[in-house]
Amino acid sequence: MQSLYSGENNQQEDNHQCATYIFPASRAMPSTMMSDDLSSVTRDTQTTSATVFKGHARSASHGAVGTGAVSSASSVGVIGRPSALKQNRGHQRAFSQGQISDGGTVGFQKGHSRVSSKTDFILPPGHRDTESIPGAGSVAKTHGHSRQASRSESIYTLRQSGTPNLWTQFQSYVLRRGGKTDVEGSRCRTVVPNHLVPPHTPKKLHPNGKSPDNKIRTTKYTLLSFLPKNLLEQFHRVANLYFIFIVLLNWFPAINAFGKEIAMIPVLFVLGVTAIKDLFEDRRRHASDKRINNSTCRVYRSEEERYKKTLWKKVRVGDLVHLSNNEVIPADILLLRSSDPNGICYIDSCNLDGETNLKQRQVARGFVEKQDIFEPCKFRSVVEVDGPTTKIYRFHGSIVHPDGERVPVSTDNLLLRDCMVKNTDFVEGIVVYAGHETKAMLNNGGPRYKRSNLERQMNLDIIWCVLILIVLCVIGAAGCKLWLSSYDGISVPPFIPSMQNSTTEGILSFWTFVIILQIMIPLSLYVTIEMAKLIQVYHIHNDVNLYDPETNKRIECRALNIPEELGQVQYIFSDKTGTLTENKMIFRRCTVGGIDYNHPPPENIQKLKTRPGVPLPLLVNPRLQEELEAGARPSVHSQRLQEFLLLLAVCNTVVVSQHPHHDIMNASGVIEQTADSLPGRVVPTSVPTSVPVTGCLPRVDTAPAQYTLLSESRSVTPSPPPQPCSMATASPLSSSPGSRPKVLGVPSLLVVRRATTPTPSPCELKPIFEAESPDELALVDAAYSYGCRLVKRSPQVATVSMPGQGALDFEILKILPFDSARKCMSVVLKHPVSHQKILFCKGADSTILPNLAPTDDVVMQQHIFRTQQHLNSYARQGLRVLVMARRTLTDAEFLEWQRSHVEAELAVEGRERKLRESFSRLESNLTLLGATGIEDRLQEGVPETIAALISAGIVVWVLTGDKPETAINVAYSARLFQPQMELIKLSARSRDQAESAILFYLSKVQQESSIGTSSSSTSRGLNQVGVFTRPSAGNGNIGSSAGLRHAMVVDGKTLTYILDRRSNLQKPFLKLTQYCTSVLCCRTTPLQKAYIVRIVKEQLKMRTLAIGDGANDVSMIQTADVGIGISGQEGRQAVMASDFALSRFKFLGRLLLVHGHWCYDRLARMVLYFFYKNATFVFLIFWYQLYCGFSGAVMIDQMYLMLYNLLFTSLPPIAIGVYDQDVPEQILLAQPSLYNQGRLGLVYQPHSFWVTMADSLYQSIVIFFICEAAYHNTEVGIWEFGTTVTTSCMFVMLCHVAIETRSWTVIHLASILLSITAFYVFSLVYNTVCLQCFGLPSNYWVIQQTIGSSIYWASVFLSTVMALLPRFVWRVVETTLFPKDVVRAVLDHKVAARRGEGFLVSWSRSTSTSSIFRNADFRPKHVTQNSLTAVG
């Protein structure tokens, strides 16, 4: 479309006067043009229904043809056409991607409508898709998500949309917060460029004033909403509501037991501590928000008529923004200009959806021709867009020009916030969504709350505490009634001034007992356990052994409430590529014409510090090089080699850059110099040299002096080091300060001028390749090393420099993208010399080889046979294999296929199936060219980590998309499989075959297991520690026995039959896997990964951990009990969805075996101690009721009752829960089998609670009745007796902590001393100063008089010894005669340390075997992590 520029004659009148782009009136287009531009023309849409739609009616796009409900107009872009977005209220579904509607009405579905999407969706729990019956001439109302066609292969979780309930609306109103609901019926909005609005226009009068600014806030609270909102959240806890209820009960005079103010102390303390913790967490979010909001970008300011540096938070809807390469996009921006002459730019959306492939975006239609003359001040069109929505790949709108013409825009024209501009010098666009209305913020879900297994067990035991409390209260009420019944004949019973009947008094006393025995429910346990977990997470985050200096990353703890779950993992599900491997692809082997060409890795490969995902340097094979350079008359084999390398170079989606992308506008918005003044650099055709980029500046070279350069907002893509060349004549850029380009982040380079000859000079810099996968980069780099160099690529042409032929421009006719169903990708090219249409195809051997054309040629048959042999050899070496093939197409064949393919694209029903069939028709009758083998090296420490995890009793599953042969070899290299293991392979092509194979292997291993159990004492293989035993059928736990040394391999086809619920194979399959130490699943899809985790978690009742690094691992990570993301090169989607983030897989061993073991052991013993000390105190109060007629009187001062948990006994539990170590870390790393303590839940079992209650009951009896016997028949006062009982209880509690402490530190000693000191200091001050405090009975001078009595000290000493004697004796007997594996390992380590020997000896009761570990650098005080090596 040709554009006209009005006001050209009047421009000389005022240099600062900006003209307006005037788009010509639409003209009827010829039918030929319409057929050629079918995919880019948008038809006008009309509806035959009289129904008023709620939302937006979208025009059909991408060549949609509609009949009935959607009809086409006779012209395109008619002036004055009414807005489809404004006319109707409601979303009318666009017929996109070439759909056809034959019906008269459009029936909408209630729920998620997925249209030709390759994305695997995970629907919300409980979601059901139900079809609505469309009425005549009407459109049914839609609820939920109507998903647009997406070319993405990632996993997304769709959100349900709907009207919030009344309670949510009330909270939003009170707390002034907006929900993140995706309102489908939101009206469209009109965006007016801000430079058309007078400056300082009030927000109420501004046309964009209703849109929010770009300032984000992810904090939960504000200064005003903190108190009400935090209290509202805390009252969601039943325990907090329970204690509020207790406080309210105490305000009733008939049943109150304590002072009203005193009863509020525990609740206020707990609420206050929790509020402070929440405030601390919210403060970190505030700091992150502040950092993001204060980032800078360049925004056009009309008053200065140039781009100016602006903070992100000050960006507004309607602003025009200028972005450079590698700059993060601050808001959702509609693309208006690009440095590319075709109006194309690329964005990296890994921060948004986890995908690393570069996504192409296109300048809006009609603006491509204006790239060189575009100036911001001349843009006077308005933009009509949909309301904000959570759907990342749905955007519809139109640009309305001043002459009335409408240009439709879609997702292809939208740059999303948090994405990064790539492979483009600069882009410019207008902000359409800002701040919390951007798609990135609408999809920001925040951290998720998970409940650990220990917390669930604790909640169950709290319910038992409630039942015990009810029983005690019932007994107390019954005792009160019985005691009062004995005075029925007396008119005025003694000590009771006003008494009702005994039944009423008994009922009232029930509630009195609820008040005085309230600490049976450990309210402070919730606060203490949250504080302990928070400190545990802090120490995990700051562990220097989990820090990776190469990536400068440390562990990231995103979930603060499940650290103990790390110590109870039973199953690990891991991805392979990028998780176990480095994602450093090395081109190792290739076979062409049946000849194998080896490419050994560089000698110093371990020292090479290349970026993950970038191919390592390639050593050229001399033989291949010689055969490629065949002289003037190339042989058939050399031609085949050239064609093979050409396929490697062009059959991909690689984006090429010849130089680091440079923007002549600096970070402050000032143009430094034009591109043509750069020495030794090619002038980019996309950057105009005659028109200022900044807008309407009359003089470019006179930039204001006060604007200085900023380095934070602009960068360039890294350039490879220059290749050495003796003919280089260029000088460094730094030699001329006046002409030095401000290229940030790139050192001074030796830049040479382009050669004028058609063949590129060997001295020029290597292009910058960017691709969606490291495999493609490795293949393109290999072809480049042999002279077949991809020089330039556009959507229509690929320029390749061929050896001896120079640069050739291959016309790209069609690209058949890769998908997981076909497992291949293809490209159709037109050869510039022969003009032949050639199909190049690369993919998996299982796809390419069956599609080879049948041949009678003996040479070709031998070629195929040898290639298959080489493929098997590559797979055994653990290489990632790809097969390359070609096909020559005639013009008639290609036109016929193109016609049928267009029909498939326009299909409504079964569109994806028809597209696959169309691709398959073209990808048939292929001719084999060769195959490649690429090595993805294992990460450092992966074999040792996996071996340690298996020795710890954890079943490790590796879920990969590789072929079985490759995956098996990697499994052996990673020590997932051991040579002595028996490998079980499940590879079936039908459901019956899968069932028979599973049942056969199941019966076999069961027989072997029974034989091995009977002869376990003499069975070979019992020389290991931590091997498995056959799982018990009762509890499903996995133990350790040497007879179980099986491993399993399952391919994707068999897995499909197994996971199908109708096959009834899940239970026998899972039962078979319980006999295996490790399982390898090949050719798995992302949804299969998540489903496997779910069935193991639900059916086997196992605690699972999933670890991955890519967006395809998100569903698996979210399904598992513990999700861990590897912060690799496949985006941060896995990290954002995870509970913990690691930089290397090797850190998983230390995270589980050390921190996981400690966290579980500490928290388990801390919870049991809490139950113990609270129950003991409650029983002491209850025993006193035997001596006061069950009246509800207490012998302990009310202040002691309220401060018992909050002050006197609060520090020792934290010391146990955070700093206690039952085993040093070097022993845990040397003996992974010690992890069984947490994996099997041996510390906190269901019976542990009742053992603790029995111990509490015994100790309370001893304490109370020893004190009662000491003061029997004396005139001791009630408060003196109560003080003695309280002191005895305090000493028993603290000595109990001393017995349970495993490692003494200053913190443990200080917690005990501070607790007893706090008790005595408070008692002395309280009994001295407080006479009638808070309306309480006077306790003046009680403690001073009591401690002066010898009976007091004798009672305290005797009760402490007698109460703790059974526990102490049991600990001595257990440690001496029946030591646990943990205790045995510590004792052996201490013995070895005393002897000064450099050995660690371990013994396992379960296997009756011992292991000796040599300490390479024996240091008893400090043993490093890597100093232990197994020798026996």
Side-chain angles (χ1 to χ4, degrees):
M1 180 183 296
Q2 184 181 2
S3 61
L4 299 178
Y5 183 78
S6 67
E8 197 171 11
N9 299 329
N10 300 328
Q11 191 175 9
Q12 289 88 5
E13 297 179 3
D14 189 355
N15 290 331
H16 296 277
Q17 180 66 30
C18 294
T20 307
Y21 291 119
I22 300 298
F23 285 75
S26 301
R27 295 179 295 270
M29 301 178 64
S31 59
T32 56
M33 183 180 296
M34 292 185 64
S35 61
D36 292 339
D37 297 335
L38 185 63
S39 61
S40 61
V41 177
T42 302
R43 307 287 185 89
D44 185 21
T45 60
Q46 298 176 351
T47 59
T48 59
S49 171
T51 305
V52 178
F53 298 91
K54 286 188 177 181
H56 308 294
R58 304 177 192 165
S59 58
S61 62
H62 295 283
V65 179
T67 60
V70 181
S71 62
S72 60
S74 59
S75 62
V76 179
V78 180
I79 299 177
R81 165 183 144 186
S83 171
L85 296 178
K86 281 188 173 181
Q87 180 180 1
N88 302 317
R89 298 178 56 204
H91 290 279
Q92 179 176 347
R93 187 62 184 166
F95 288 86
S96 62
Q97 305 292 338
Q99 302 173 57
I100 301 177
S101 175
D102 295 324
T105 58
V106 181
F108 280 21
Q109 288 186 342
K110 182 180 179 181
H112 298 270
S113 176
R114 308 175 201 169
V115 181
S116 63
S117 172
K118 295 181 182 177
T119 305
D120 293 320
F121 294 97
I122 300 177
L123 300 182
H127 179 87
R128 292 181 300 176
D129 281 335
T130 57
E131 295 186 0
S132 59
I133 303 175
S138 62
V139 177
K141 186 178 179 181
T142 178
H143 292 281
H145 291 274
S146 184
R147 186 78 178 182
Q148 192 185 14
S150 169
R151 298 180 177 88
S152 169
E153 295 285 349
S154 294
I155 304 299
Y156 301 98
T157 301
L158 299 184
R159 301 182 178 184
Q160 289 197 27
S161 62
T163 305
N165 54 36
L166 295 178
W167 174 246
T168 304
Q169 295 181 26
F170 173 75
Q171 293 183 31
S172 300
Y173 175 77
V174 172
L175 304 179
R176 295 295 190 270
R177 68 179 184 182
K180 291 185 179 180
T181 57
D182 184 20
V183 182
E184 294 286 348
S186 58
R187 301 181 60 182
C188 74
R189 60 180 58 183
T190 301
V191 178
V192 178
N194 287 335
H195 62 267
L196 302 181
V197 182
H200 311 297
T201 301
K203 188 175 182 180
K204 293 183 178 180
L205 302 178
H206 200 288
N208 303 325
K210 294 184 179 180
S211 300
D213 56 22
N214 203 40
K215 184 177 181 180
I216 64 169
R217 183 177 68 86
T218 60
T219 56
K220 295 171 61 177
Y221 312 107
T222 62
L223 189 61
L224 297 178
S225 69
F226 173 75
L227 188 60
K229 187 174 181 180
N230 186 264
L231 290 177
L232 191 64
E233 290 180 351
Q234 292 197 55
F235 288 158
H236 281 76
R237 282 185 172 176
V238 179
N240 291 341
L241 291 178
Y242 165 77
F243 279 92
I244 292 293
F245 173 70
I246 296 296
V247 171
L248 295 178
L249 278 181
N250 209 57
W251 284 72
F252 289 92
I255 58 177
N256 72 325
F258 303 144
K260 301 179 180 63
E261 299 82 2
I262 300 300
M264 298 173 63
I265 292 178
V267 178
L268 294 178
F269 177 82
V270 170
L271 296 179
V273 171
T274 304
I276 293 174
K277 180 187 73 70
D278 294 340
L279 185 64
F280 174 76
E281 293 179 1
D282 214 47
R283 181 176 171 271
R284 294 196 307 171
R285 300 190 191 100
H286 175 74
S288 176
D289 293 344
K290 184 177 180 181
R291 184 180 67 254
I292 294 175
N293 289 329
N294 289 332
S295 301
T296 59
C297 63
R298 286 153 290 181
V299 176
Y300 182 75
R301 298 304 181 194
S302 58
E303 56 269 22
E304 300 184 27
E305 295 184 347
R306 72 175 188 88
Y307 283 97
K308 187 177 180 180
K309 185 190 72 170
T310 306
L311 298 179
W312 275 25
K313 63 182 179 182
K314 295 184 178 180
V315 175
R316 301 292 187 268
V317 172
D319 283 343
L320 268 69
V321 180
H322 181 101
L323 302 172
S324 301
N325 187 63
N326 282 347
E327 188 172 355
V328 180
I329 302 171
D332 289 354
I333 298 174
L334 182 64
L335 184 61
L336 300 177
R337 184 188 184 192
S338 172
S339 60
D340 185 86
N342 297 316
I344 294 173
C345 80
Y346 297 90
I347 61 172
D348 182 357
S349 62
C350 68
N351 290 333
L352 185 60
D353 58 13
E355 298 181 358
T356 54
N357 57 306
L358 300 182
K359 294 179 174 60
Q360 180 177 299
R361 292 295 182 262
Q362 176 71 46
V363 170
R365 182 164 59 85
F367 286 82
V368 178
E369 296 82 357
K370 301 179 179 59
Q371 294 297 293
D372 294 339
I373 62 173
F374 180 87
E375 296 183 18
C377 60
K378 298 178 183 178
F379 179 75
R380 295 179 174 269
S381 305
V382 298
V383 183
E384 292 182 357
V385 295
D386 290 351
T389 174
T390 58
K391 301 169 187 62
I392 295 178
Y393 296 106
R394 195 194 71 185
F395 171 74
H396 288 83
S398 61
I399 300 176
V400 184
H401 295 299
D403 62 353
E405 183 183 3
R406 319 184 71 83
V407 176
V409 292
S410 63
T411 308
D412 293 335
N413 312 116
L414 188 66
L415 307 180
L416 298 178
R417 179 189 172 109
D418 287 343
C419 295
M420 184 179 292
V421 179
K422 283 289 192 180
N423 205 52
T424 312
D425 292 343
F426 68 89
V427 295
E428 293 178 0
I430 184 172
V431 177
V432 292
Y433 303 118
H436 287 278
E437 289 187 347
T438 59
K439 297 182 183 297
M441 294 305 300
L442 290 174
N443 283 277
N444 185 10
R448 295 175 296 114
Y449 184 82
K450 285 187 176 181
R451 293 177 58 192
S452 65
N453 186 69
L454 186 143
E455 186 177 350
R456 287 190 288 266
Q457 180 66 33
M458 181 188 73
N459 291 335
L460 179 61
D461 290 338
I462 288 179
I463 295 177
W464 286 116
C465 288
V466 174
L467 295 179
I468 293 174
L469 174 64
I470 293 175
V471 170
L472 294 178
C473 293
V474 169
I475 294 175
C480 178
K481 180 182 183 305
L482 293 176
W483 189 80
L484 292 176
S485 298
S486 61
Y487 295 95
D488 287 343
I490 303 176
S491 59
V492 181
F495 311 110
I496 302 179
S498 58
M499 186 193 79
Q500 305 179 23
N501 60 72
S502 58
T503 303
T504 304
E505 291 291 340
I507 295 175
L508 294 176
S509 65
F510 173 86
W511 297 108
T512 302
F513 280 115
V514 169
I515 296 175
I516 65 174
L517 304 180
Q518 60 179 294
I519 63 172
M520 187 68 190
I521 312 300
L523 172 66
S524 57
L525 173 60
Y526 289 100
V527 179
T528 306
I529 201 170
E530 284 188 1
M531 294 178 61
K533 289 180 179 182
L534 192 64
I535 303 176
Q536 284 180 352
V537 167
Y538 171 80
H539 288 301
I540 294 175
H541 177 71
N542 290 278
D543 187 354
V544 295
N545 294 314
L546 296 178
Y547 169 74
D548 184 17
E550 293 185 7
T551 59
N552 193 27
K553 292 180 181 179
R554 62 179 65 190
I555 182 174
E556 182 180 349
C557 304
R558 300 178 55 80
L560 306 179
N561 57 326
I562 57 169
E564 72 276 17
E565 200 79 346
L566 296 172
Q568 296 185 275
V569 174
Q570 296 170 304
Y571 275 69
I572 291 180
F573 298 88
S574 173
D575 180 38
K576 185 184 77 67
T577 304
T579 302
L580 303 180
T581 59
E582 292 184 343
N583 236 2
K584 291 183 178 179
M585 303 300 177
I586 307 175
F587 189 89
R588 288 295 309 277
R589 288 182 176 273
C590 66
T591 173
V592 183
I595 302 175
D596 180 27
Y597 300 97
N598 183 28
H599 298 77
E603 296 180 357
N604 59 343
I605 188 172
Q606 298 296 340
K607 299 180 181 180
L608 293 176
K609 302 297 183 182
T610 58
R611 191 163 48 92
V614 175
L616 295 175
L618 180 68
L619 298 180
V620 177
N621 187 288
R623 180 182 176 184
L624 194 154
Q625 188 72 33
E626 293 176 1
E627 295 176 350
L628 188 62
E629 301 171 354
R633 299 184 61 184
S635 63
V636 176
H637 185 66
S638 64
Q639 292 178 353
R640 184 182 290 114
L641 284 174
Q642 284 197 3
E643 205 164 19
F644 175 78
L645 295 176
L646 176 62
L647 187 150
L648 298 185
V650 299
C651 189
N652 49 58
T653 57
V654 171
V655 179
V656 187
S657 301
Q658 294 294 340
H659 54 77
H661 296 284
H662 176 73
D663 191 356
I664 62 177
M665 182 186 295
N666 66 15
S668 297
V670 178
I671 293 183
E672 298 168 349
Q673 58 191 31
T674 56
D676 56 353
S677 64
L678 297 180
R681 189 176 189 275
V682 180
V683 179
T685 58
S686 58
V687 181
T689 58
S690 59
V691 180
V693 182
T694 55
C696 299
L697 285 177
R699 291 181 300 275
V700 176
D701 53 350
T702 58
Q706 65 267 25
Y707 297 107
T708 58
L709 292 179
L710 299 177
S711 60
E712 75 276 8
S713 297
R714 185 191 47 159
S715 60
V716 296
T717 52
S719 175
Q723 299 177 357
C725 179
S726 59
M727 297 181 294
T729 59
S731 60
L733 295 178
S734 59
S735 61
S736 178
S739 61
R740 182 177 185 269
K742 304 301 188 294
V743 181
L744 306 180
V746 174
S748 297
L749 302 177
L750 185 65
V751 182
V752 297
R753 293 185 180 275
R754 296 289 179 189
T756 56
T757 59
T759 303
S761 170
C763 302
E764 63 182 20
L765 293 177
K766 182 179 179 179
I768 301 171
F769 297 127
E770 295 178 274
E772 61 183 60
S773 70
D775 302 70
E776 288 190 343
L777 287 180
L779 296 178
V780 174
D781 188 74
Y784 189 92
S785 301
Y786 285 102
C788 186
R789 301 176 177 180
L790 180 62
V791 178
K792 183 180 178 182
R793 189 187 188 103
S794 68
Q796 295 82 24
V797 178
T799 303
V800 182
S801 175
M802 301 292 296
Q805 302 181 38
L808 300 177
D809 293 333
F810 293 86
E811 182 183 354
I812 301 176
L813 301 178
K814 188 67 178 179
I815 294 179
L816 281 60
F818 175 87
D819 63 66
S820 57
R822 291 168 35 245
K823 296 185 177 63
C824 67
M825 81 158 290
S826 303
V827 59
V828 181
L829 304 176
K830 184 177 181 181
H831 199 283
V833 179
S834 63
H835 302 290
Q836 288 182 330
K837 293 181 174 61
I838 305 173
L839 169 76
F840 286 133
C841 182
K842 70 174 182 183
D845 55 344
S846 60
T847 299
I848 304 297
L849 295 180
N851 289 324
L852 294 179
T855 179
D856 295 330
D857 188 357
V858 178
V859 177
M860 180 56 67
Q861 290 178 353
Q862 292 180 353
H863 175 197
I864 297 174
F865 177 73
R866 291 175 182 174
T867 302
Q868 289 176 327
Q869 289 183 322
H870 293 154
L871 287 174
N872 295 333
S873 175
Y874 296 169
R876 287 192 296 270
Q877 298 174 40
L879 304 181
R880 300 160 64 93
V881 297
L882 285 174
V883 180
M884 315 296 171
R886 69 180 298 276
R887 177 185 176 184
T888 302
L889 301 170
T890 64
D891 293 343
E893 287 177 339
F894 181 73
L895 290 177
E896 175 63 23
W897 175 84
Q898 192 176 31
R899 184 191 60 78
S900 61
H901 186 72
V902 170
E903 293 179 357
E905 287 181 333
L906 298 178
V908 176
E909 298 294 334
R911 180 174 179 271
E912 285 208 13
R913 176 181 56 81
K914 293 180 179 179
L915 285 177
R916 285 196 300 267
E917 293 175 353
S918 176
F919 290 157
S920 299
R921 284 196 300 270
L922 196 63
E923 295 168 338
S924 60
N925 296 322
L926 303 174
T927 301
L928 181 64
L929 288 179
T932 60
I934 300 176
E935 179 182 6
D936 189 5
R937 299 179 65 86
L938 287 174
Q939 293 182 16
E940 178 188 358
V942 166
E944 294 79 6
T945 302
I946 290 182
L949 294 175
I950 293 178
S951 297
I954 302 174
V955 180
V956 181
W957 290 47
V958 173
L959 313 176
T960 178
D962 290 343
K963 60 182 303 184
E965 293 80 2
T966 303
I968 290 173
N969 186 273
V970 173
Y972 278 110
S973 301
R975 295 174 67 178
L976 182 72
F977 294 165
Q978 298 291 340
Q980 65 270 22
M981 287 183 177
E982 180 182 352
L983 210 59
I984 299 175
K985 294 184 179 180
L986 296 180
S987 179
R989 291 298 172 262
S990 66
R991 185 262 177 199
D992 296 334
Q993 291 182 3
E995 182 180 18
S996 59
I998 292 173
L999 296 179
F1000 169 76
Y1001 285 116
L1002 183 59
S1003 62
K1004 180 180 178 182
V1005 296
Q1006 285 177 342
Q1007 293 176 1
E1008 293 177 356
S1009 180
S1010 60
I1011 296 175
T1013 303
S1014 61
S1015 58
S1016 60
S1017 58
T1018 59
S1019 174
R1020 67 179 179 89
L1022 291 179
N1023 55 355
Q1024 299 286 336
V1025 175
V1027 293
F1028 284 75
T1029 55
R1030 183 170 64 88
S1032 170
N1035 52 20
N1037 288 336
I1038 298 179
S1040 333
S1041 163
L1044 181 65
R1045 302 301 293 173
H1046 297 94
M1048 181 185 295
V1049 180
V1050 189
D1051 65 0
K1053 194 70 173 178
T1054 308
L1055 206 57
T1056 303
Y1057 298 126
I1058 293 173
L1059 298 181
D1060 188 357
R1061 290 184 178 272
R1062 297 169 296 180
S1063 64
N1064 296 324
L1065 294 179
Q1066 292 183 8
K1067 290 185 178 179
F1069 170 72
L1070 293 177
K1071 190 173 183 180
L1072 178 60
T1073 61
Q1074 289 183 285
Y1075 293 90
C1076 301
T1077 58
S1078 51
V1079 179
L1080 178 63
C1081 298
C1082 310
R1083 302 294 194 188
T1084 55
T1085 64
L1087 284 182
Q1088 284 181 332
K1089 292 182 180 182
Y1091 196 69
I1092 291 171
V1093 176
R1094 194 179 76 181
I1095 63 173
V1096 171
K1097 177 182 175 181
E1098 295 178 354
Q1099 297 191 21
L1100 294 184
K1101 306 298 181 184
M1102 294 293 178
R1103 290 175 290 276
T1104 58
L1105 180 148
I1107 180 170
D1109 70 320
N1112 59 336
D1113 303 317
V1114 168
S1115 55
M1116 175 179 71
I1117 289 174
Q1118 291 180 339
T1119 304
D1121 294 307
V1122 180
I1124 296 183
I1126 299 292
S1127 52
Q1129 295 300 311
E1130 295 191 25
R1132 286 185 55 84
Q1133 189 74 358
V1135 173
M1136 298 300 291
S1138 65
D1139 304 310
F1140 300 88
L1142 301 175
S1143 59
R1144 297 276 182 175
F1145 182 85
K1146 66 178 181 180
F1147 296 138
L1148 181 63
R1150 179 178 180 83
L1151 180 63
L1152 297 186
L1153 301 181
V1154 177
H1155 290 288
H1157 176 93
W1158 283 345
C1159 290
Y1160 167 74
D1161 179 77
R1162 292 164 174 171
L1163 290 178
R1165 290 191 288 119
M1166 187 191 77
V1167 170
L1168 291 175
Y1169 177 76
F1170 245 98
F1171 286 133
Y1172 153 77
K1173 70 184 184 69
N1174 283 26
T1176 302
F1177 208 63
V1178 167
F1179 288 146
L1180 288 175
I1181 298 174
F1182 182 78
W1183 299 135
Y1184 183 72
Q1185 303 307 311
L1186 301 175
Y1187 296 86
C1188 67
F1190 294 95
S1191 62
V1194 290
M1195 73 291 191
I1196 301 175
D1197 187 87
Q1198 296 181 23
M1199 292 299 295
Y1200 295 157
L1201 285 171
M1202 296 300 137
L1203 298 179
Y1204 173 75
N1205 272 328
L1206 305 183
L1207 181 62
F1208 302 151
T1209 60
S1210 60
L1211 295 180
I1214 295 180
I1216 293 178
V1218 177
Y1219 296 105
D1220 200 19
Q1221 294 183 8
D1222 60 338
V1223 190
E1225 61 178 288
Q1226 61 267 25
I1227 301 179
L1228 290 173
L1229 293 172
Q1231 303 182 46
S1233 60
L1234 299 180
Y1235 187 79
N1236 288 333
Q1237 175 176 283
R1239 182 177 63 84
L1240 302 177
L1242 301 179
V1243 179
Y1244 188 7
Q1245 302 184 67
H1247 66 269
S1248 301
F1249 172 78
W1250 298 108
V1251 173
T1252 301
M1253 289 296 104
D1255 195 14
S1256 299
L1257 185 64
Y1258 164 77
Q1259 293 187 16
S1260 66
I1261 292 174
V1262 170
I1263 294 172
F1264 181 85
F1265 288 101
I1266 285 181
C1267 293
E1268 191 276 335
Y1271 289 103
H1272 190 66
N1273 290 332
T1274 62
E1275 295 181 356
V1276 64
I1278 182 175
W1279 303 126
E1280 185 177 351
F1281 175 74
T1283 301
T1284 305
V1285 172
T1286 304
T1287 306
S1288 301
C1289 182
M1290 283 291 303
F1291 274 97
V1292 171
M1293 297 298 104
L1294 298 178
C1295 291
H1296 184 100
V1297 169
I1299 294 175
E1300 293 300 318
T1301 299
R1302 301 291 188 263
S1303 60
W1304 281 95
T1305 63
V1306 176
I1307 297 177
H1308 293 82
L1309 185 62
S1311 66
I1312 294 177
L1313 294 179
L1314 287 176
S1315 297
I1316 197 66
T1317 302
F1319 170 73
Y1320 277 110
V1321 169
F1322 174 81
S1323 299
L1324 291 172
V1325 173
Y1326 172 64
N1327 290 169
T1328 303
V1329 177
C1330 191
L1331 297 179
Q1332 290 290 334
C1333 298
F1334 307 109
L1336 299 178
S1338 177
N1339 284 311
Y1340 183 73
W1341 216 252
V1342 172
I1343 187 68
Q1344 289 85 344
Q1345 182 177 356
T1346 305
I1347 61 177
S1349 171
S1350 59
I1351 299 178
Y1352 168 82
W1353 295 108
S1355 301
V1356 171
F1357 175 77
L1358 184 60
S1359 60
T1360 301
V1361 172
M1362 294 300 297
L1364 295 176
L1365 186 61
R1367 175 170 287 273
F1368 180 78
V1369 171
W1370 167 246
R1371 289 299 182 196
V1372 172
V1373 173
E1374 182 187 43
T1375 303
T1376 307
L1377 302 179
F1378 313 104
K1380 298 179 181 179
D1381 289 346
V1382 172
V1383 177
R1384 171 64 65 181
V1386 175
L1387 294 177
D1388 291 342
H1389 177 65
K1390 291 181 178 179
V1391 171
R1394 285 196 298 267
R1395 293 178 180 176
E1397 299 176 354
F1399 294 91
L1400 292 179
V1401 183
S1402 68
W1403 177 79
S1404 175
R1405 289 189 296 109
S1406 59
T1407 59
S1408 301
T1409 60
S1410 63
S1411 294
I1412 304 176
F1413 297 88
R1414 182 187 300 277
N1415 189 350
D1417 184 16
F1418 186 78
R1419 298 172 184 173
K1421 294 184 180 181
H1422 176 72
V1423 182
T1424 59
Q1425 175 181 349
N1426 299 324
S1427 62
L1428 301 175
T1429 306
V1431 297

